[in-house]
């Protein structure tokens, strides 16, 4: 079962999400939070697999909650009605594994929960466009340290949402070796995390 925590300050939204998600055979809602601070507390208490997190909440907003959850094993999907595209980048850099809008089709939301739980990074089309249209950092262009062929393979698999373990199986190498390759890729591209590396791969046709 995929254990889901819902964080939204609107009771009607929380109830609607709970009702629909609990209908799924492989998903169960383990808790609800009406503000970001409570969401952080419940992640610590309940250790859900996936957190559906609104951005605009009292006490502590979604971005603040993401920052406090850095390093948590819980995968966070931002689910917001906010249309400001400038929120996408900060949310993904803060550790979100997905960014969706509340008008998402219910069946697509369920698929997103499953995909993120399986280690993939998932963005709504509008959110992906916002990320890809943002200026690429100068450091993200590899100059004197180009990627090796194996590092390019690893980057493509990162862009496909594969975990280190899945990459190791795909390439028939040790997981420790994959971790080394991932670190080298991030360093050479001048990016901080796998999400930025995946976006680099998409931008440059390496995905």
């Amino acid at each position: 079962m995929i254990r889901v925590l819902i964080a939204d300050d609107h009771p009607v939204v929380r109830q609607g999400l709970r009702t629909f998600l609990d209908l799924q055979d492989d998903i169960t809602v383990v808790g609800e939070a009406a503000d970001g601070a409570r969401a952080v507390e419940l992640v610590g208490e309940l250790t859900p697999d996936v957190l559906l997190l609104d951005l605009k909440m009292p006490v502590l907003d979604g971005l603040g909650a993401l920052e406090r959850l850095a390093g948590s094993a819980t995968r966070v999907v931002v689910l917001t009605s906010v249309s400001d595209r400038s929120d996408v980048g900060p949310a993904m850099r803060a550790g979100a594994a997905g960014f969706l809008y509340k008008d998402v089709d219910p069946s697509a939301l369920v698929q997103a929960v499953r995909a993120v739980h399986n280690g993939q990074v998932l963005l709504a089309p509008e959110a992906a466009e916002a990320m890809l249209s943002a200026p690429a950092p100068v450091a993200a262009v590899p100059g004197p340290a180009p990627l090796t062929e194996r590092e390019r393979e690893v980057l493509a698999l990162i862009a496909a949402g594969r975990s280190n373990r899945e990459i190791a199986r795909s390439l028939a190498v040790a997981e420790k070796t994959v971790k080394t390759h991932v670190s080298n890729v991030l360093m050479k591209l001048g990016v901080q995390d796998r999400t930025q590396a995946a976006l680099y791969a998409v931008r440059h046709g390496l995905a």
Side-chain angles (χ1 to χ4, degrees), residues 16-29:
L17 289 171
R18 173 185 280 274
T19 299
F20 183 76
L21 291 174
D22 276 341
L23 291 175
Q24 312 306 311
D25 293 336
D26 58 340
I27 297 175
T28 182
V29 176

Side-chain angles (χ1 to χ4, degrees), residues 22 31 44 173 187:
D22 276 341
V173 298
M187 178 184 67

Side-chain angles (χ1 to χ4, degrees), residues 96-117:
F99 196 105
L100 300 174
Y101 296 99
K102 288 182 180 177
D103 60 358
V104 64
D105 184 81
S107 61
L109 176 60
V110 170
Q111 293 302 321
V113 169
R114 291 170 178 152
V116 167
H117 177 250

Side-chain angles (χ1 to χ4, degrees), residues 114-180:
R114 291 170 178 152
V116 167
H117 177 250
N118 287 331
Q120 298 180 38
V121 175
L122 194 144
L123 301 174
E126 301 90 342
E129 183 180 348
M131 289 289 287
L132 292 173
S133 61
V138 174
V141 180
L147 299 180
T148 65
E149 185 61 32
R150 178 46 59 94
E151 288 166 353
R152 289 168 66 93
E153 292 174 342
V154 170
L155 177 59
L157 291 168
I158 289 174
R162 305 288 182 85
S163 66
N164 285 354
R165 180 173 298 178
E166 291 169 329
I167 294 174
R169 289 174 181 170
S170 178
L171 299 180
V173 298
E175 189 172 347
K176 183 177 180 180
T177 301
V178 172
K179 290 181 180 179
T180 300

